[in-house]
């Protein structure tokens, strides 16, 4: 991290607000995991959510794609305001995600995992599928063609037919990203995409994220603990601490924010 | 099989997605089916066709059904026998109350009725998982058998309570009931097995199969991808019960020739479950391997001493048979917990590298 890249990032232009989280509160029993947090996501940006462990980052992603229902607050997605997201609605309207602990379908091959990402794009009914013929076969092949594009993009041709349970960790993370990409998402939620990776794998993953954002215009919301990566690739950073939002701005602003330094980094950041 | 993929190149996704990706595989399966249809009826005697192959094929259909539910969708079920009984009794009702109905349709309707019942008993699967779900399907097992035994409507108020399967013809041959020739019944059952086997392999490699496996492997991720858990699980229950129902109807109509609940007790459920586990969960091939293994092994153990000229008292043979059978099951599960189908896959992988496995 030779110099801050926030300056470059600020030259980029973004579209309208595609997702608006308004006064979200999430609790489990007596614990309040997220307390009155609001932020918005603009089309085409890379937004990082950071914060210490237990700050509510993953819970926030879970709210965005409907796995958790907020106690209060509202979510506005593509102009529609709702109290809580429904997982199926989120998936069919272009929200895809990866998980902190890899949540691949371990018994299936890489190809089948990616094809599973396409289930919502496939409509042919059950009887056609029994026959695997005519329209159903045509549909399979069209989706296969799309999945192959994702495979090419991620450079995982060689492991197409390998059961994902046998793959090394870094590749599993990549396949999981591929599964999310197969859904043709508008918003991609990445929960610690670089956790447990070595430097090279992190570089690869960062490159994929930037390429995705540039080539396909995918909006990306990511949670990451590697500050170097976060500051380098994100356009905007939201900082959570104990379920509250303590900062929201460009990497340069956040880096200079007194609250963030106190709460999260602990010491003044110098490198 | 014992040959390699080398030199086989695919130039289209259609070829790569084909059911048999290697041409010789396809030839082998077609050859096997042709052998089963043409040669076996000629060389097989009444005992082999009527008492061994017919029940094995029927149980393979049931094992396919249970494998779809347990192996592919991950929902443990002990209600196989009940769903088979539902198929048998409903097919009997259709066959006797609607005289002119073709027997193939009767059996399919039996399967569809079993599917409807399966869906009803699959409803708890949304909330209940694993062993607890197995216990709720056990409820289906006991409740349905009790129902079929206690309500005389199901057996058309027959005095004995165990009506015989009505004789029916398909394509001009008598295929059901005691008077039908074993050859005709065998071909009839084989036809069902082949068609249902092909349909099952198509299902599991397509969209719905991937949805089932997604639910099995990681239900939360599946839901966030947009797969609806309840519908997907219920579809697995429906397809699985359909297969079991068809198997049950065939069991009553083509094998034991009577419609009775006691043929579908909890032991039947366990037998089919063992077939699926031994054969390989989540494998179509495994369903067949398991059915043949579990059904044929005791017969083999029973007759093997005779082949070597050993005369052993029949009770001793029975005991040895049980012991060997149990030991073999334990042996196979230790060698390969994922079943015979996986063992087969590993053998193929090793042979591919042989004799230079480096």
């Amino acid at each position: 991290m030779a110099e801050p890249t926030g300056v470059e990032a600020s030259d980029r232009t973004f579209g309208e607000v595609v997702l608006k989280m308004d006064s979200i509160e999430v609790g489990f029993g007596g614990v309040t995991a997220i307390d009155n947090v609001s932020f918005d996501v603009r089309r085409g940006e890379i937004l990082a959510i950071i914060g210490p462990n237990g700050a509510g980052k993953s819970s926030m992603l879970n709210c965005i794609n409907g796995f958790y229902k907020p106690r209060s607050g509202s979510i506005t997605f593509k102009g529609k305001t709702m109290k809580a997201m429904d997982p199926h609605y989120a998936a069919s309207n272009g929200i895809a995600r990866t998980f902190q602990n890899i949540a691949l379908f371990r018994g299936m091959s890489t190809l089948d995992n990616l094809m599973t990402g396409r289930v919502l794009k496939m409509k042919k009914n059950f009887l056609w599928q029994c026959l695997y013929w005519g329209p159903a076969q045509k549909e399979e092949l069209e989706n296969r063609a799309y999945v192959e594009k994702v495979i090419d993009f991620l450079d995982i041709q060689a492991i197409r037919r390998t059961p994902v349970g046998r793959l090394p960790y870094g590749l599993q993370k990549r396949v999981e990203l591929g599964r999310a990409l197969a859904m043709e998402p508008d918003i991609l939620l990445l929960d610690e995409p670089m956790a447990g990776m070595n430097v090279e794998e992190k570089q690869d993953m960062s490159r994929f994220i930037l390429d995705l954002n540039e080539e396909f215009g995918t909006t990306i919301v990511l949670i990451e603990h590697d500050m170097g990566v976060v500051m380098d690739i994100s356009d905007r950073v939201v900082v959570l601490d104990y379920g509250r939002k303590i900062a929201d701005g460009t990497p340069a602003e956040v880096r200079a924010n007194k609250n963030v330094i106190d709460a999260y980094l602990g010491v003044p950041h110098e490198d | 099989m014992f040959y390699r993929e080398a030199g086989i190149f695919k130039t289209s996704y259609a070829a790569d997605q084909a059911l048999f990706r290697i041409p010789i595989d396809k030839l082998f399966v077609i050859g096997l089916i042709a052998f089963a249809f043409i040669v076996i009826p000629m060389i097989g005697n009444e005992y082999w066709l009527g008492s061994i192959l017919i029940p094995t094929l029927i149980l393979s259909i049931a094992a396919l059904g249970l494998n779809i539910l347990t192996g592919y969708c991950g929902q443990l079920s002990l209600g196989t026998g009940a769903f088979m009984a539902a198929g048998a009794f409903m097919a009997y009702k259709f066959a006797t109350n609607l005289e002119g109905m073709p027997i193939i349709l009767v059996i399919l309707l039996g399967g569809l009725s079993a599917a409807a019942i399966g869906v009803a008993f699959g409803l708890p699967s949304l909330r209940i998982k694993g062993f607890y779900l197995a216990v709720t399907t056990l409820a289906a097992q006991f409740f349905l058998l009790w129902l079929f035994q206690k309500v005389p409507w199901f057996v058309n108020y027959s005095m004995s309570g165990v009506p015989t399967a009505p004789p029916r013809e398909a394509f001009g041959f008598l295929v059901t009931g005691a008077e039908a020739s074993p050859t005709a019944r065998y071909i009839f059952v084989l036809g069902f097995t082949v068609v249902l086997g092909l349909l099952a392999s198509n299902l599991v490699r397509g969209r719905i199969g991937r949805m089932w496996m997604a639910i099995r492997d990681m239900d939360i991720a599946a839901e966030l991808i947009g797969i609806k858990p309840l519908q997907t699980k219920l579809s697995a229950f429906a397809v699985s019960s359909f297969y079991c129902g068809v198997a049950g109807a065939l069991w009553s109509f083509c094998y034991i020739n009577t419609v009775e609940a006691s043929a579908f007790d909890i032991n039947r459920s366990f037998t089919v479950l063992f077939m699926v586990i031994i054969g390989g969960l989540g494998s179509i091939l495994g369903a067949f391997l398991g059915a043949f293994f579990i059904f044929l092994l005791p017969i083999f153990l029973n007759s093997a001493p005779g082949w070597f000229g050993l005369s052993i008292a029949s009770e001793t043979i029975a005991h040895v048979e049980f012991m060997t059978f149990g030991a073999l099951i334990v042996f196979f599960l230790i060698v390969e917990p994922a079943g015979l189908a996986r063992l087969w896959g590993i053998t193929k992988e090793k042979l591919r590298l042989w004799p230079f496995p480096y």
Side-chain angles (χ1 to χ4, degrees), chain A residues 88 107 119 129-130 144 161, chain B residues 16 202 207-208 210 217 226:
Chain A
H88 190 261
V119 288
Q129 289 178 53
C130 285
R144 171 76 191 269
R161 297 265 171 199
Chain B
D16 197 44
N202 279 340
R207 170 175 181 260
I208 193 153
R210 288 191 290 266
D217 284 348

Side-chain angles (χ1 to χ4, degrees), chain B residues 32-322:
Chain B
L32 190 69
I33 292 172
F35 181 80
F37 267 113
I38 298 163
V39 183
I40 288 184
M42 290 199 283
I43 60 171
N45 58 26
E46 192 160 317
Y47 169 70
W48 264 91
L49 290 177
S51 304
I52 296 179
L53 288 174
I54 289 179
T56 314
L57 287 174
I58 296 174
L59 288 178
S60 330
I61 298 178
L64 273 177
L66 184 63
N67 212 344
I68 284 172
L69 183 63
T70 306
Y72 282 95
C73 198
Q75 311 298 309
L76 191 54
S77 163
L78 291 175
T80 318
F83 300 135
M84 287 175 79
F89 279 90
M90 293 317 287
Y92 176 72
K93 288 302 283 185
F94 281 118
T96 48
N97 290 359
L98 301 161
E99 273 299 326
M101 187 179 272
I103 183 67
I104 295 179
L105 192 59
V106 165
I107 290 185
L108 293 180
L109 282 174
L112 287 177
S113 320
I117 294 169
V119 167
F121 281 96
L123 282 171
S125 68
L126 182 67
R127 294 277 170 179
I128 307 173
K129 287 177 183 164
F131 291 117
Y132 304 96
L133 180 67
V135 174
T136 61
T137 55
L138 210 53
Q141 176 71 46
F142 290 121
F143 171 72
L144 286 176
L145 287 202
W146 173 84
L147 186 73
F148 294 138
Q149 273 168 340
K150 291 295 170 199
V151 180
W153 178 80
F154 286 106
V155 291
N156 288 342
Y157 305 98
S158 131
M159 292 303 281
S160 65
V162 184
T164 52
R168 290 286 181 275
E169 289 185 358
F171 308 111
F173 294 97
L174 196 61
V175 291
T176 65
E179 289 83 35
S181 76
T183 314
R185 284 187 280 143
Y186 166 75
I187 300 262
F188 186 65
V189 169
L190 182 64
F192 269 99
T193 314
V194 168
V195 170
L196 289 178
L198 285 176
L199 291 185
S201 25
N202 279 340
L203 279 180
V204 298
R205 72 198 169 112
R207 170 175 181 260
I208 193 153
R210 288 191 290 266
M211 285 163 64
W212 289 337
M213 290 188 273
I215 290 284
R216 170 195 71 188
D217 284 348
M218 192 64 77
D219 50 354
I220 291 168
E223 189 177 355
L224 295 182
I225 276 177
I227 296 170
K228 292 180 174 163
L230 184 62
Q231 271 118 311
T232 309
K233 286 176 184 173
L234 289 186
S235 72
F237 267 98
V239 175
S240 163
S241 307
F242 173 77
Y243 274 70
C244 292
V246 168
L250 289 173
W251 190 266
S252 278
F253 279 61
C254 298
Y255 177 49
I256 58 173
N257 301 321
T258 54
V259 183
E260 55 180 320
S262 59
F264 304 108
D265 60 2
I266 183 88
N267 284 333
R268 181 74 52 223
S269 301
F270 279 123
T271 311
V272 178
L273 184 64
F274 293 154
M275 287 174 176
V276 172
I277 292 174
I278 293 275
L281 286 164
S283 157
I284 297 291
L285 174 69
F288 288 100
L289 290 181
F292 276 83
F293 184 84
I294 297 266
F295 203 84
L296 292 186
L297 191 67
I299 294 170
F300 170 76
L301 290 174
N302 203 346
S303 42
W307 299 342
F308 297 109
L310 300 170
S311 57
I312 305 173
S314 57
E315 307 89 71
T316 320
I317 289 187
H319 290 303
V320 170
E321 182 191 314
F322 273 121

Side-chain angles (χ1 to χ4, degrees), chain A residues 116-176:
Chain A
T116 309
R118 304 285 298 168
V119 288
L120 287 179
K121 310 281 178 199
M122 301 168 80
K123 308 281 180 214
K124 291 294 171 286
N125 71 27
F126 179 79
L127 291 176
W128 281 115
Q129 289 178 53
C130 285
L131 299 176
Y132 204 89
W133 179 75
Q137 192 189 17
K138 185 159 165 281
E139 187 181 59
E140 282 277 331
L141 296 180
E142 284 164 4
N143 285 288
R144 171 76 191 269
Y146 187 87
V147 162
E148 287 293 334
K149 277 191 218 159
V150 176
I151 289 179
D152 280 346
F153 176 78
L154 293 174
D155 205 18
I156 49 175
Q157 296 91 339
I159 55 168
R160 254 192 216 107
R161 297 265 171 199
T162 317
V164 292
R166 288 196 205 168
L167 295 174
Y169 181 83
L171 278 179
Q172 291 196 10
K173 280 270 187 194
R174 205 185 281 191
V175 173
E176 202 186 19

